[in-house]
Amino acid sequence: MDPSTRCAFCGEPQAPAQLRREFELDFCEPCAVGQAEAALRARGHSLISREWTTRVRTNNSSHTIYHMSIDARPPEPLEVTVRFTREHALHRLVKLFRHEVEVGDPLFDDFVYVKTRERPQAQALLRSSGVQSTLIDLVGRYDSIDLARGSVQIRHAATEQVLAADAMLAACALLVHIDRIASGSPAHEPQS
């Protein structure tokens, strides 16, 4: 069966009309609603999620901070250290003095701030439009996305409850794109 009619996560054949498309990936409904994590674990990926709370005291009051983290490691990790965060005014000022890694797409370049000392490896990762679209989604919702020592780390802290399950599909999508880059899959090379 044509690979384009298989779920990107579980690999099961599907009728094209039955596949959903997000993060530049096609996947089945069961994976879309929670089975992507199990499917990737079966393929050798490691995915660990945590949620916890802390209490912060300021003056005469205290409030709860909700934390979420996902640590994911593909079977063939990319050796690059890079941090992705939402771009803010301070980042724009820094860009005046230091040349940031950019992809040439204003939507990505103006929204995602890329911090790395490993420019060639980061540029190779960002050649994938699938990686770019997944990062735009993650950076829009969470504090930081780090690739370090072969793992993907997604972190967020907020005054409202945040669930790791809400980030898991995008984390799985990023792992699939990293797999494709690591394997040099020509069918998923970025388009010029």
Side-chain angles (χ1 to χ4, degrees):
M1 181 170 259
D2 182 2
S4 66
T5 59
R6 291 186 176 273
C7 172
F9 301 119
C10 68
E12 292 296 317
Q14 302 288 323
Q18 300 297 337
L19 293 170
R20 286 178 60 168
R21 182 148 184 90
E22 289 180 57
F23 312 114
E24 295 193 21
L25 296 173
D26 296 318
F27 48 90
C28 65
E29 193 62 28
C31 285
V33 295
Q35 292 182 16
E37 181 179 354
L40 288 184
R41 278 195 176 115
R43 291 174 38 196
H45 293 80
S46 168
L47 290 135
I48 300 168
S49 62
R50 289 184 52 220
E51 298 168 4
W52 70 98
T53 60
T54 56
R55 298 285 293 166
V56 176
R57 191 164 177 80
T58 56
N59 298 329
N60 293 332
S61 66
S62 67
H63 56 278
T64 301
I65 303 292
Y66 297 89
H67 303 267
M68 178 278 298
S69 75
I70 295 175
D71 291 310
R73 183 176 291 274
E76 294 182 44
L78 291 178
E79 294 301 324
V80 60
T81 300
V82 59
R83 171 171 274 200
F84 303 98
T85 56
R86 190 162 183 181
E87 189 167 294
H88 298 289
L90 180 60
H91 293 136
R92 288 183 204 98
L93 182 62
V94 168
K95 287 169 108 175
L96 294 174
F97 302 102
R98 187 178 336 146
H99 185 67
E100 179 197 14
V101 172
E102 294 189 334
V103 299
D105 177 356
L107 177 66
F108 183 88
D109 292 337
D110 293 342
F111 189 72
V112 178
Y113 183 73
V114 180
K115 182 178 179 182
T116 187
R117 291 186 176 170
E118 300 171 1
R119 293 178 62 81
Q121 296 92 331
Q123 288 171 322
L125 174 71
L126 292 172
R127 280 190 203 108
S128 164
S129 59
V131 168
Q132 292 174 34
S133 71
T134 306
L135 286 170
I136 286 173
D137 177 77
L138 287 167
V139 165
R141 297 185 295 148
Y142 304 104
D143 294 333
S144 65
I145 294 78
D146 294 295
L147 275 71
R149 298 174 303 284
S151 72
V152 176
Q153 302 156 352
I154 301 168
R155 305 278 187 267
H156 191 71
T159 56
E160 295 180 11
Q161 188 171 14
V162 59
L163 302 173
D166 294 339
M168 192 56 74
L169 185 63
C172 289
L174 189 55
L175 288 176
V176 169
H177 287 299
I178 289 171
D179 267 353
R180 291 177 176 178
I181 292 168
S183 71
S185 177
H188 301 95
E189 290 290 313
Q191 299 175 10
S192 308

